[in-house]
Structure formats: structure tokens, C-alpha cells
Amino acid sequence: MELEIAKIFIALLVLVNPLGAIPIFISLTPNASQLERKRIAKTTTLAVAVVLCLFAVVGETLLHFLGISIGSFQVGGGLLVMLIAIALMNAQPAPTKTTQEERSEAEAKTNIAVVPLAIPLLTGPGTISTVIIYASTAHSWVQVVYLLISSLLVAVTCYGALVLASPISRLLGQTGINIVNRVMGMLLAAVSVEIIVDGLYRLFPQLSR
């Protein structure tokens, strides 16, 4: 149980990447007090938890409704995750995260907790795709529970990272955050390959012979 939860937790944590969101969080809340930042962090955490748990529960049903095979979704989702991994290893913004235009628009908003912080900065298409893949390949309700527990742990980690955004930013600096992102990118690349290979086996069963 512990190994299963740890594996899913690490995969989701690397995708959500709360450390990478710290500079943007700070830039969007330059004049906010510590109390206001905690309130924003709490709302963002709740939104992240809801999104992850929602797609963990309805992900497989959604695929069946759209007529998409699990194998096809795994290959497509795996390629998307690989793009995110490559961006992280190059210390660049992930292609599925917020754009500069979206961040500029967010600066004029009074409430940034849900959009753009929770969606799409923390839980973008790559994260949602991975949650759906894990949910659709679960062999029992126990594994779905593992996914839900991992999702909640990731949300709690996001809260800690956002609340401690300023100290972490001062401690690591942009160079430190880039180093962490590169390591996370390597881990994420391995996860994406695993997802793609499993999807290819489902699409072409003869490959496993």
C-alpha cells in the first residue's frame, strides 16, 4: 500500500510542481499580507483537491462516454506528460501551464486562487490526463482509494509550498528552483515513458508476446 501511494504521489507531485508555481504566486500577490496569502493558498489547495479527486472518480466514465479507448488516451496523455518533462529539464515553463497573457490578465483579478493558480497552473491538462489514466487502469476500488489519498496529499503539499512561498524562494532562489525542476523533469520523463509503453501494449497486444 505504501509503495503504491508513494508512486502515485510522486508522479502527481512532479506534474503539479508546487515549487515551480512559487515565483508566479509571489508575482501575483506582491502586496498581499501573510494572512491574505494563506487564504489564497487555502482556496487554491481546495480547488486542486476537488479537481484531482473529481477526475479520479469520473475519469474512466468520461472516457467511455467519449468513446476513447484507455490505450489511446494513455499514449496521448503520455506524450503530453513527456512535453512537460522536457520543458522542466530545460527550465522552461511547461507548454500546458499558464501563458504570459494569462498571467498578465490574472494580475488584474481580485481572486486568483482558482484561476489561474489551481487551474491551469497547478492542475493543467497533463495532471488531469495522468489522474484519468491512473483511474482508468485501476484494477480495484482499493487502487482508486490510493489515487484519492495521493491526490489529497499532493493538495496538502501545495498548501505548504504556497504558504511558505517567500521563505522557500529566498532559500532556493531561481537557480535552486530550476535545479529541482530539472530533477523532477527526469522523473516525469520516466513516468511518461511508462504510460506510453503501457498504452501501446493495450493498443497492440502482440507487442507483449
Side-chain angles (χ1 to χ4, degrees), residues 47-61:
V48 168
V50 169
V51 170
L52 294 179
C53 292
L54 177 64
F55 281 99
V57 173
V58 305
E60 186 175 8
T61 304

Side-chain angles (χ1 to χ4, degrees), residues 37 46 63 85 106 131 141 163 203 209:
R37 284 187 174 179
L46 180 60
L63 289 184
V131 170
W141 65 268
V163 168
L203 291 174
R209 296 174 184 173

Side-chain angles (χ1 to χ4, degrees), residues 72-85:
S72 297
F73 194 80
Q74 282 182 291
V75 174
L79 291 173
L80 179 59
V81 172
M82 177 61 79
L83 290 176
I84 297 173

Side-chain angles (χ1 to χ4, degrees), residues 1-206:
M1 173 181 175
E2 291 82 3
L3 286 176
E4 193 72 26
I5 291 178
K7 178 183 177 182
I8 299 173
F9 170 75
I10 292 173
L12 293 182
L13 183 64
V14 171
L15 274 165
V16 172
N17 192 14
L19 278 183
I22 286 177
I24 298 176
F25 176 69
I26 293 175
S27 68
L28 292 177
T29 57
N31 302 316
S33 65
Q34 186 62 24
L35 186 62
E36 289 173 325
R37 284 187 174 179
K38 281 186 178 181
R39 178 182 55 79
I40 295 172
K42 188 180 296 184
T43 305
T44 301
T45 299
L46 180 60
V48 168
V50 169
V51 170
L52 294 179
C53 292
L54 177 64
F55 281 99
V57 173
V58 305
E60 186 175 8
T61 304
L62 182 62
L63 289 184
H64 287 312
F65 177 76
L66 296 175
I68 301 174
S69 69
I70 295 175
S72 297
F73 194 80
Q74 282 182 291
V75 174
L79 291 173
L80 179 59
V81 172
M82 177 61 79
L83 290 176
I84 297 173
I86 293 172
L88 285 175
M89 285 188 284
N90 289 322
Q92 296 175 346
T96 60
K97 299 292 185 178
T98 55
T99 62
Q100 182 58 49
E101 291 77 11
E102 290 171 330
R103 288 195 289 270
S104 299
E105 183 179 337
E107 292 175 358
K109 291 184 177 181
T110 56
N111 189 352
I112 60 170
V114 177
V115 180
L117 285 180
I119 307 168
L121 183 59
L122 292 172
T123 52
T127 308
I128 293 173
S129 298
T130 303
V131 170
I132 294 176
I133 289 170
Y134 277 128
S136 60
T137 55
H139 300 296
S140 66
W141 65 268
V142 176
Q143 291 185 327
V144 175
V145 171
Y146 291 167
L147 179 57
L148 291 174
I149 294 174
S150 301
S151 298
L152 293 176
L153 290 175
V154 168
V156 171
T157 305
C158 288
Y159 178 76
L162 295 180
V163 168
L164 300 174
S166 295
I168 292 175
S169 181
R170 287 194 297 268
L171 177 65
L172 295 179
Q174 189 59 54
T175 301
I177 291 176
N178 286 344
I179 291 173
V180 174
N181 281 343
R182 286 188 172 99
V183 174
M184 297 178 94
M186 293 173 63
L187 295 174
L188 193 57
V191 171
S192 68
V193 170
E194 191 175 72
I195 292 173
I196 292 171
V197 170
D198 191 48
L200 290 174
Y201 281 152
R202 287 177 181 273
L203 291 174
F204 309 102
Q206 61 270 25

